[in-house]
Amino acid sequence: MQASGMSSPSSMSSSSLLLMTLQLGLLLCSSLLQLAVAKEQYHEFVVQEASVTRLCQNRSIMTVNGQFPGPAVEISEGDSLIVRVMNRGRYNVTVHWHGVRQMRTGWADGPEYVTQCPIRPGGSYTYRFTVGGQEGTLWWHAHSSWLRATVYGALIIRPRSGVTAYPFFETPAREIPILLGEWWDMNPIDVVRTATRTGAAPNVSDALTVNGQPGDLYGSCSSKDTATFAVRSGETSLVRFINAALNTELFVSIAGHSMTVVGADASYTKPYSTTVLMIAPGQTTDVLVTFDQPPGKYYLAARAYASAQGVPFDNTTTTAIFQYDGGAGSSPSMPTLPAYNDTAAATAFTTSLRGLRRAELPSQVDESLFFTVGVGLFNCSSGETCGGPNNTRFAASINNVSFVLPSTVSILQAHYSQQSEQQAVFTADFPANPPVEFDYTAQNVSRALWQPVPGTKVYKLKYGAGVQVVLQGTNIFAGENHPIHIHGYDLYILAQGFGNFDAAKDGLLFNLDDPPMRNTVAVPVNGWAVIRFVADNPGVWLMLWQNRLN
């Protein structure tokens, strides 16, 4: 997994600083009445090894507090969190609060060597931040190497007590968090280290999981531990889906039941009824399910949406069971899932989401950026043998830059250092547009365009700027659906489509009324997506995209 970075301004004018101070003062004044119901929570996360059995194998994995998945953190909007993370494991670790905007608390965001140096074995670090203006489902996970494969958990944000309620047509009788993940039959750190050393694609997972369990379809060893959720006839439950997988988009369905989508990435949506969800890595989706079928057992099933042709993927199906009262003796019903390469089903879901209310879009676009995302190939060094095609190394890139993480000082720390020290860590010359224009989604992209440039480059945004980014997928080596997550921000997804973005034609498709707001956007295979946001959160923020090849 590779990352490409993007930062907000390293300095602000005095007028901008004064404006921000006035805004903060007004915010404090208008929030005095609400502060009485906000709370402060303290948690301790102990990162440690624990023994678990999966797929008939006993494994030692990294966990938080000995739990896999880790503990759910449940708060109300406006609450503050203090989380002390103690590293009792053998690897460096950080924790990222995926989707939390971290307004002016960038030090608590978590990505290793971007906003903090790692927590060394035996060390600790305390995260302090407030979750304001967000309701729904987010999650937390390790942000060091591939520790995220087992170190993750739910972050549930309910409406502020006594102030607001769910904007649903029906109050749910119960809430069910469901964390979808991947399982490797070997140490995931060894998987990524081998890939990094050889330049080959990492091994695909051996199983998909629901709340840490593979489910019935992986044999008797898994069947007895299949995740099971008790439900009652006639009740409506709020089911909170989290895709905690590293690299796999997932189709999800529940046998015999329709799902009404009411939220995504801790933002409410207009109710949308569907039988199939497509959730990209990092995304969350909240649905209402009315259990109105005859009492019995019904499978929840998830399998990969794998859009890249000829690229290996985990072609298994994970299951859990919804069990009605009185339905203990029946055999579970199985839903019909789309084929692994059903791009039409994935597109139908993602393009049907709408924001619950009219979008607060920036009044003007001050920064218009065009980012090409794709896989490149580095030539193998002389005398080396590499595992990529034709003795090469896979490398992710944006605008032909393959991001290189620092190894001694975080970018945020360097941002506050003297200019000479900054330049030793990063350069502020990330390109706003691809250095070479070409037919990005052509069947045969010229090999001359396959070689990216390594670098630790950032792009500076002026505070308060309206930012629009065209995210253009490319067909270098293999086109695929790319989940892209920008830390510190929620993004309005104005439109998405296939082929090369055409501003004159595709600009007419923009939804400027009620576009969905998310923190992670899935850029269609050999296609594009357009996002817009206001750069109102000073700091250094990582832009991360994922694929199955690195």
Side-chain angles (χ1 to χ4, degrees):
M1 182 172 67
Q2 297 285 333
S4 189
M6 176 177 174
S7 84
S8 53
S10 61
S11 62
M12 292 184 292
S13 68
S14 58
S15 59
S16 297
L17 182 60
L18 176 60
L19 177 61
M20 185 178 74
T21 304
L22 290 172
Q23 289 173 333
L24 285 173
L26 291 172
L27 177 63
L28 288 172
C29 292
S30 64
S31 301
L32 287 177
L33 293 177
Q34 295 183 350
L35 287 175
V37 294
K39 301 181 295 296
E40 184 176 87
Q41 288 193 28
Y42 176 81
H43 296 266
E44 288 190 350
F45 279 12
V46 180
V47 180
Q48 60 190 26
E49 292 195 34
S51 180
V52 301
T53 299
R54 298 291 187 277
L55 306 182
C56 303
Q57 301 287 331
N58 187 264
R59 298 291 183 192
S60 180
I61 64 171
M62 301 307 301
T63 67
V64 167
N65 300 347
Q67 301 175 42
F68 172 58
V73 177
E74 302 185 29
I75 64 173
S76 296
E77 187 275 327
D79 286 355
S80 295
L81 279 171
I82 300 174
V83 184
R84 186 183 180 214
V85 177
M86 292 167 282
N87 188 358
R88 301 294 180 262
R90 53 193 169 115
Y91 305 107
N92 294 338
V93 70
T94 62
V95 174
H96 170 51
W97 310 90
H98 191 108
V100 174
R101 289 214 56 199
Q102 299 290 0
M103 294 298 292
R104 299 170 184 85
T105 51
W107 297 102
D109 193 45
E112 184 179 62
Y113 287 119
V114 176
T115 57
Q116 71 173 98
C117 289
I119 307 167
R120 307 290 186 185
S124 66
Y125 184 85
T126 300
Y127 296 87
R128 301 172 187 268
F129 57 94
T130 298
V131 181
Q134 295 178 286
E135 295 178 14
T137 306
L138 297 175
W139 62 301
W140 57 264
H141 60 82
H143 213 298
S144 300
S145 186
W146 270 21
L147 286 181
R148 169 180 156 184
T150 57
V151 178
Y152 60 83
L155 174 58
I156 297 170
I157 312 161
R158 297 190 176 89
R160 192 179 293 226
S161 177
V163 177
T164 57
Y166 291 127
F168 307 149
F169 52 84
E170 188 172 0
T171 301
R174 66 185 72 192
E175 300 182 10
I176 304 173
I178 292 180
L179 293 92
L180 306 166
E182 293 165 302
W183 175 264
W184 279 264
D185 244 350
M186 63 183 294
N187 184 346
I189 301 298
D190 292 338
V191 173
V192 70
R193 283 179 175 174
T194 298
T196 301
R197 184 179 69 253
T198 65
N203 291 347
V204 299
S205 55
D206 296 290
L208 304 172
T209 60
V210 176
N211 289 2
Q213 296 291 344
D216 280 355
L217 305 186
Y218 294 86
S220 58
C221 292
S222 295
S223 294
K224 60 185 178 64
D225 295 316
T226 298
T228 301
F229 309 104
V231 298
R232 293 179 180 175
S233 293
E235 283 189 348
T236 297
S237 295
L238 176 61
V239 184
R240 300 175 179 272
F241 286 102
I242 299 168
N243 187 350
L246 274 81
N247 302 311
T248 305
E249 294 94 344
L250 293 167
F251 287 123
V252 185
S253 189
I254 303 173
H257 293 77
S258 178
M259 297 173 282
T260 300
V261 179
V262 292
D265 293 358
S267 294
Y268 292 119
T269 64
K270 286 183 170 64
Y272 162 58
S273 182
T274 180
T275 57
V276 177
L277 312 177
M278 198 290 282
I279 313 177
Q283 289 183 334
T284 71
T285 304
D286 292 344
V287 304
L288 293 175
V289 181
T290 299
F291 292 97
D292 54 3
Q293 297 301 300
K297 294 180 181 178
Y298 297 85
Y299 275 130
L300 175 151
R303 67 170 299 174
Y305 165 49
S307 56
Q309 296 183 12
V311 176
F313 67 98
D314 184 341
N315 194 18
T316 62
T317 301
T318 183
T319 55
I321 297 172
F322 287 100
Q323 180 172 315
Y324 283 65
D325 286 351
S330 61
S331 297
S333 301
M334 189 72 179
T336 300
L337 287 165
Y340 72 88
N341 59 353
D342 193 340
T343 293
T347 303
F349 175 75
T350 56
T351 57
S352 295
L353 298 182
R354 296 287 185 272
L356 181 60
R357 300 178 180 88
R358 184 173 180 82
E360 297 179 2
L361 292 168
S363 58
Q364 65 180 38
V365 174
D366 304 298
E367 293 271 5
S368 186
L369 309 176
F370 192 103
F371 288 174
T372 55
V373 297
V375 177
L377 297 173
F378 282 133
N379 293 327
C380 201
S381 300
S382 178
E384 279 190 315
T385 300
C386 295
N390 301 316
N391 201 35
T392 58
R393 306 176 63 87
F394 283 113
S397 71
I398 295 182
N399 281 357
N400 208 46
V401 176
S402 186
F403 187 70
V404 178
L405 278 172
S407 58
T408 57
V409 176
S410 73
I411 297 176
L412 184 58
Q413 181 178 344
H415 166 70
Y416 286 104
S417 302
Q418 295 180 359
Q419 189 69 24
S420 59
E421 295 173 343
Q422 276 190 22
Q423 293 173 347
V425 177
F426 67 87
T427 57
D429 57 349
F430 190 89
N433 296 279
V436 177
E437 292 187 15
F438 59 99
D439 185 353
Y440 307 114
T441 56
Q443 286 299 308
N444 296 293
V445 178
S446 169
R447 290 296 182 99
L449 299 167
W450 286 33
Q451 181 88 12
V453 176
T456 307
K457 299 175 182 288
V458 305
Y459 189 89
K460 290 186 176 182
L461 295 170
K462 183 179 179 181
Y463 178 77
V467 183
Q468 180 171 295
V469 187
V470 176
L471 299 165
Q472 173 69 61
T474 66
N475 200 30
I476 294 176
F477 185 76
E480 69 171 321
N481 187 288
H482 292 300
I484 294 182
H485 170 51
I486 298 182
H487 291 220
Y489 285 93
D490 282 327
L491 322 162
Y492 285 111
I493 304 174
L494 302 188
Q496 56 192 62
F498 296 96
N500 298 328
F501 177 75
D502 182 324
K505 173 173 64 74
D506 296 326
L508 300 176
L509 304 176
F510 286 7
N511 177 4
L512 303 179
D513 182 29
D514 58 354
M517 187 165 68
R518 309 202 71 163
N519 60 61
T520 303
V521 54
V523 179
V525 53
N526 284 329
W528 51 267
V530 178
I531 60 174
R532 196 178 289 182
F533 61 96
V534 177
D536 59 357
N537 192 8
V540 173
W541 306 109
L542 183 67
M543 179 174 174
L544 180 79
W545 76 267
Q546 297 162 280
N547 66 86
R548 266 178 284 275
L549 291 173
N550 49 26

